[in-house]
Amino acid sequence: MKRMKTINIVTVIASLVFFSCNSAGEKEGEAITADIVIYGGTSAAVTAAVQAKKMGKSVVMVSPDTHLGGLSSGGLGFTDTGNKTVIGGLSREFYHRVWMHYNQPEAWKWQEKSEYGNKGQGTAAMDSVYKTMWIFEPHVAEQVFEDFVKEYEIQVFRDEWLKREDGVVVENGRIVAMETLSGKLFRGKVFIDATYEGDLMAAAGVSYDVGRESADTYNEKWNGVQKGVKQHKHYFAYDISPYKVAGDSSSGVLPEVSAGPPGEQLAGDDKIQAYCFRTCMSNHPENRVPFPKPEGYDPQRYELLARLFEAGWREWFEKFDMIPNRKTDTNNHGPFSSDYIGGNYDYPEASYERRREIIKEHENYQKGLLWFVANDPRVPAEIQSEMKKWGLAKDEFTDNGNWPHQLYIREARRMMGEFVTTENELLKRSPVPMPVGMGSYAMDSHNVQRYITPEGYVQNEGDIGVSTKGPYAISYGSLVPKAEECTNLLVPVCVSSSHIAYGSIRMEPVFMILGQSAATAAAIAIDDQVNVQEVNYDKLRKQLLEDKMVLESPSAPGQKP
């Protein structure tokens, strides 16, 4: 279902009156002012801030997060690289700095460097030719982001949350100021929303979408409801009953199964792909913390997994991807895993309070899952005995009980901007105007729902993995709102794209690329005194290339096209 947010004139007038009577008058001397104001603490926010400083602009980061880097420092250390030759600019510098860290002997505390297998996702973990490291520990990534901030003397306001109801002042289609819940007021010439949720974008009255479009909305094949698609291993290959008493529909439906219909094939809906935490585990006895038993633990929540094990499924450890020092980036794998399917539908639009509840629900679900596998007697002995060798990494996320501080927000709002990127651009069916970066990862959506088939068995729906058949360009038009909605905002994370196209764009290296491109455009808009939609593309392209960004597919020895 399409959800479009347009400017509410009454709200805007009310907010203008509020600021002119209160904030602007009483806080004028206290306002924090910069050329570019960046809202967010993600990897894109950091690269945008660095690029702004490199372009000679004053910049301030307003981060709701305490820890910088988003998923890149929040557990996703087994990088979704795709074709690494199209990762340029500050994104590549990030991975180069990680490489430099792991070339120091003291970086290898829990294992010898020679013991590490050097396996990455489609590439070597440590690339001696390009001097990049694509696989890393969470605390190492966070330190790289902190180093960026320190070296470029970027002012960061942490734990500052946008006042979403009336905290954004829009005058004549331009954001004038934004206020946070603490009462701080930020004024800028250009604003960048670099959050996973797109809260600044939405509060400014910019149109956006949530959920899946129907396949015919943009003439796509892989959008909308996708029943019967079996491209990964994340579907039920066994006939598993969804009922509390197996085979007895009158006994009620098990937890984590929807009793409602999945929808018509290829139809749009307002559901989104599942979230999870990318947990960092260790099997080193001195750096391992036993899996905690969450409050309200209910083993029945994992009955489907018990039935899977009973049916013969044994792939539990397949996504314990190894990162340095005997740790993992553990991701969802299989029909019943760490993805909390259906637990996030209201997250994109939810209040802060409700989002915190959703995050806690995901944490409890996933902690309960780990406890179940490590302790429940229904788990096969060979899996449970191996699972007991693992625990949370003691030296990661030390201020959060060794649990990741960032939920994997795989998709929330998506702006409907000047240009909508779809699978047609990713598959090279349609041209891409004004490219400002490239992606290459498969169009990858995790499951969206778990339902009951007409035959009375449980099944997942929404998991898609379709190759883009080589790198693709991302248009500048996907970073900017429609000109009639806002003329001084750039959005490098919740970019203008369809659901399935976003499934590829949403990779962390790409977010860093687009963050840098957004800041470059913001600086040019300020210099030339034009709206962001009117930025001279030739000038933008020239600057991006000078900064070693990649805007078209290069050829490299040994690199698949």
Side-chain angles (χ1 to χ4, degrees):
M1 178 183 296
K2 190 80 70 175
R3 298 185 183 181
M4 304 295 286
K5 175 147 184 169
T6 55
I7 297 176
N8 185 316
I9 298 299
V10 175
T11 301
V12 171
I13 292 174
S15 65
L16 286 173
V17 171
F18 172 81
F19 273 98
S20 62
C21 295
N22 294 291
S23 298
E26 297 176 10
K27 297 184 180 182
E28 185 66 37
E30 302 173 20
I32 297 132
T33 303
D35 292 326
I36 301 173
V37 176
I38 299 169
Y39 184 56
T42 61
S43 60
V46 177
T47 57
V50 170
Q51 183 67 7
K53 292 299 289 283
K54 291 180 70 174
M55 296 287 288
K57 299 293 175 265
S58 59
V59 63
V60 61
M61 280 180 62
V62 184
S63 173
D65 310 304
T66 301
H67 298 273
L68 301 182
L71 253 294
S72 284
S73 62
L76 204 166
F78 197 74
T79 305
D80 304 308
T81 50
N83 186 320
K84 64 189 177 186
T85 65
V86 300
I87 300 172
L90 291 169
S91 185
R92 181 170 288 270
E93 183 176 342
F94 169 82
Y95 297 105
H96 173 62
R97 290 184 178 217
V98 172
W99 179 84
M100 290 193 295
H101 169 82
Y102 285 107
N103 272 288
Q104 303 174 76
E106 57 268 27
W108 299 90
K109 181 177 181 180
W110 303 110
Q111 72 178 155
E112 295 294 328
K113 183 179 178 180
S114 59
E115 296 174 358
Y116 181 62
N118 204 32
K119 178 186 176 183
Q121 190 171 169
T123 185
M126 299 190 75
D127 187 330
S128 59
V129 175
Y130 289 96
K131 294 182 171 55
T132 48
M133 178 84 171
W134 306 99
I135 313 299
F136 46 82
E137 299 159 278
H139 76 272
V140 172
E142 185 171 359
Q143 188 59 55
V144 172
F145 290 120
E146 292 291 347
D147 290 344
F148 271 134
V149 166
K150 182 178 180 181
E151 290 172 24
Y152 286 89
E153 299 180 336
I154 296 165
Q155 190 175 22
V156 182
F157 291 84
R158 303 175 196 245
D159 197 23
E160 290 290 342
W161 299 78
L162 177 67
K163 191 176 182 184
R164 291 162 58 187
E165 294 302 317
D166 57 5
V168 178
V169 181
V170 179
E171 293 179 345
N172 300 318
R174 297 180 66 83
I175 300 173
V176 176
M178 56 171 276
E179 185 182 11
T180 58
L181 293 178
S182 70
K184 291 185 178 66
L185 187 67
F186 297 89
R187 298 183 182 274
K189 297 175 182 176
V190 177
F191 289 76
I192 296 176
D193 186 338
T195 63
Y196 292 123
E197 295 83 4
D199 285 339
L200 175 58
M201 169 191 74
V206 171
S207 298
Y208 61 85
D209 205 355
V210 175
R212 298 183 286 188
E213 301 91 349
S214 64
D216 61 7
T217 300
Y218 297 116
N219 192 28
E220 297 176 298
K221 178 180 179 181
W222 300 109
N223 215 335
V225 176
Q226 298 280 331
K227 292 178 291 187
V229 175
K230 298 179 179 180
Q231 295 172 333
H232 286 144
K233 297 181 179 180
H234 309 317
Y235 61 90
F236 285 86
Y238 302 89
D239 292 337
I240 303 294
S241 174
Y243 303 113
K244 292 179 180 178
V245 176
D248 181 4
S249 61
S250 66
S251 64
V253 177
L254 285 171
E256 323 313 338
V257 180
S258 171
E264 295 297 320
Q265 189 76 347
L266 304 182
D269 57 23
D270 58 1
K271 300 180 175 71
I272 55 177
Q273 59 179 303
Y275 299 166
C276 71
F277 288 93
R278 299 288 286 250
T279 46
C280 185
M281 302 184 189
S282 172
N283 64 358
H284 194 295
E286 297 177 35
N287 195 39
R288 182 182 65 209
V289 177
F291 297 119
K293 186 177 184 179
E295 291 183 23
Y297 171 74
D298 178 7
Q300 192 177 45
R301 297 189 73 178
Y302 313 103
E303 175 65 25
L304 284 176
L305 181 57
R307 294 179 186 181
L308 267 175
F309 285 141
E310 184 180 7
W313 187 76
R314 293 293 184 272
E315 298 177 18
W316 174 254
F317 297 102
E318 191 156 322
K319 286 301 291 178
F320 279 46
D321 292 314
M322 297 306 299
I323 62 177
N325 285 309
R326 290 178 61 173
K327 301 177 190 175
T328 69
D329 165 3
T330 307
N331 194 14
N332 178 84
H333 178 74
F336 193 101
S337 185
S338 57
D339 278 0
Y340 185 16
I341 300 172
N344 62 344
Y345 294 159
D346 58 335
Y347 180 90
E349 305 274 35
S351 66
Y352 291 138
E353 181 180 16
R354 175 57 185 146
R355 284 182 185 168
R356 285 192 291 270
E357 292 174 354
I358 293 170
I359 291 169
K360 188 63 177 179
E361 289 164 4
H362 279 72
E363 179 181 334
N364 285 340
Y365 164 78
Q366 206 161 330
K367 283 182 174 178
L369 177 69
L370 297 174
W371 175 268
F372 176 86
V373 177
N375 296 279
D376 196 282
R378 291 173 293 175
V379 175
E382 69 270 23
I383 290 179
Q384 192 158 90
S385 61
E386 178 64 23
M387 190 65 175
K388 287 182 179 295
K389 299 175 183 178
W390 293 92
L392 300 179
K394 188 177 182 179
D395 60 352
E396 299 289 351
F397 313 117
T398 56
D399 62 345
N400 197 42
N402 310 112
W403 193 256
H405 42 70
Q406 176 65 60
L407 182 64
Y408 195 170
I409 310 301
R410 289 189 171 94
E411 183 177 11
R413 297 184 179 100
R414 302 186 314 280
M415 180 173 66
M416 294 290 99
E418 287 278 290
F419 184 87
V420 180
T421 299
T422 72
E423 74 172 48
N424 297 305
E425 285 73 41
L426 273 60
L427 294 173
K428 276 69 75 176
R429 297 176 188 144
S430 301
V432 177
M434 301 188 296
V436 291
M438 301 196 76
S440 63
Y441 202 80
M443 291 184 287
D444 178 51
S445 172
H446 281 230
N447 277 306
V448 174
Q449 56 186 329
R450 178 174 289 135
Y451 68 101
I452 301 172
T453 68
E455 295 77 24
Y457 300 117
V458 65
Q459 192 52 269
N460 298 332
E461 183 275 321
D463 181 78
I464 299 292
V466 177
S467 172
T468 61
K469 300 179 181 178
Y472 58 87
I474 301 168
S475 173
Y476 178 62
S478 284
L479 304 190
V480 296
K482 296 171 184 174
E484 62 268 25
E485 293 182 346
C486 189
T487 58
N488 68 333
L489 174 69
L490 291 120
V491 184
V493 176
C494 294
V495 297
S496 178
S497 64
S498 69
H499 155 74
I500 194 58
Y502 195 79
S504 172
I505 295 170
R506 66 181 176 82
M507 305 306 156
E508 289 289 304
V510 178
F511 285 155
M512 285 188 261
I513 290 167
L514 298 182
Q516 181 174 359
S517 296
T520 306
I524 293 173
I526 291 170
D527 288 343
D528 293 352
Q529 297 183 4
V530 297
N531 298 334
V532 295
Q533 292 85 1
E534 299 167 349
V535 166
N536 183 294
Y537 178 68
D538 290 338
K539 186 180 294 187
L540 175 58
R541 178 183 175 88
K542 181 175 182 292
Q543 185 63 56
L544 293 177
L545 292 176
E546 286 179 2
D547 290 329
K548 299 181 180 179
M549 296 280 270
V550 182
L551 305 183
E552 56 189 26
S553 296
S555 58
Q559 182 69 48
K560 293 182 180 180

